[in-house]
């Protein structure tokens, strides 16, 4: 099965540590460089007030 199929069928999930707007790309990069993220760092072109909420099952656990 291809990775895209696994994601589509909810057999593979990728935890997301934080979602940053594009305007905060420098802060997102600093977070990546610190290597403290417990999931992926995502840059979004959609403003935070227009984005849907991130489902709890995709949120990375906090330390």
């Amino acid at each position: 099965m291809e990775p895209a199929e696994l994601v589509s069928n909810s057999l593979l999930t990728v935890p997301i540590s934080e979602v940053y707007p594009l305007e905060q790309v420098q802060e997102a990069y600093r977070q990546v460089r610190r290597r403290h993220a417990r999931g992926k760092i995502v840059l979004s072109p959609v403003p935070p007030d227009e984005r849907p909420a991130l489902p709890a099952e995709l949120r990375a656990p906090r330390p």
Side-chain angles (χ1 to χ4, degrees):
M1 196 176 271
E2 294 291 321
E5 290 177 275
L6 293 171
V7 171
S8 295
N9 294 324
S10 299
L11 298 173
L12 174 68
T13 59
V14 179
I16 297 173
S17 182
E18 194 71 46
V19 179
Y20 289 94
L22 285 178
E23 296 81 24
Q24 292 182 357
V25 67
Q26 290 178 330
E27 180 57 33
Y29 182 71
R30 278 193 283 275
Q31 181 71 16
V32 170
R33 296 281 298 172
R34 279 183 254 170
R35 299 176 186 246
H36 290 291
R38 294 185 172 246
K40 298 297 181 183
I41 302 295
V42 177
L43 286 171
S44 174
V46 179
D49 57 335
E50 295 178 21
R51 266 194 310 259
L54 188 62
E57 62 269 12
L58 294 181
R59 290 196 177 277
R62 299 280 178 181

